[in-house]
Amino acid sequence: GLRGLIPPAHLTMEQQLHKIMATVRSYEDDDLGKHAFLQDLNDRNATLFHRVLVRHMEELAPIVYTPTVGRACQLFAASYRRPRGMYFTSEDVGHMSAMAANWPAKD
């Protein structure tokens, strides 16, 4: 069963949006912290992540896009948490099929 594996209370989408934005805003002037929090949200719940972005695009666009994403890229090695997608370089030309076969999902 699911008992103990999911939260004991059900929150509506509106309640979840409110909680997420309260957390984002608690970072105040720490745009990299906001960016990391939203990336973690995307890892956990892509639907909620995108709903938050759509609802608060004007406020969050600078966090998930430029200029914050540029700074996050500069600090990528220090903030790397887990792989997101695949990584290809110009040296991989001719090896794409073999590399794609390394992807863990079969879909």
Side-chain angles (χ1 to χ4, degrees), residues 4-23:
L5 299 177
I6 58 175
H10 172 77
L11 298 178
T12 67
M13 183 60 75
E14 286 301 316
Q15 290 170 320
Q16 291 177 69
L17 286 167
H18 180 76
K19 286 182 71 169
I20 293 298
M21 287 309 298
T23 302

Side-chain angles (χ1 to χ4, degrees), residues 14-103:
E14 286 301 316
Q15 290 170 320
Q16 291 177 69
L17 286 167
H18 180 76
K19 286 182 71 169
I20 293 298
M21 287 309 298
T23 302
V24 167
R25 291 173 180 144
S26 75
Y27 283 91
E28 295 180 5
D29 295 329
D30 181 8
D31 287 348
L32 287 174
K34 291 177 185 180
H35 178 79
F37 173 76
L38 290 169
Q39 284 301 109
D40 288 342
L41 174 62
N42 191 17
D43 291 341
R44 291 187 319 270
N45 188 334
T47 300
L48 180 57
F49 170 78
H50 288 98
R51 182 73 58 95
V52 168
L53 285 185
V54 167
R55 182 73 57 88
H56 299 279
M57 182 57 73
E58 189 171 329
E59 180 178 353
L60 297 178
I63 305 304
V64 298
Y65 196 56
T66 56
T68 305
V69 119
R71 184 71 179 132
C73 288
Q74 291 173 331
L75 301 172
F76 179 75
S79 63
Y80 181 78
R81 290 193 166 102
R82 70 172 197 85
R84 296 185 58 84
M86 295 193 72
Y87 302 92
F88 297 96
T89 70
S90 59
E91 296 175 13
D92 299 321
V93 172
H95 303 283
M96 299 293 184
S97 293
M99 292 174 69
N102 292 333
W103 187 252

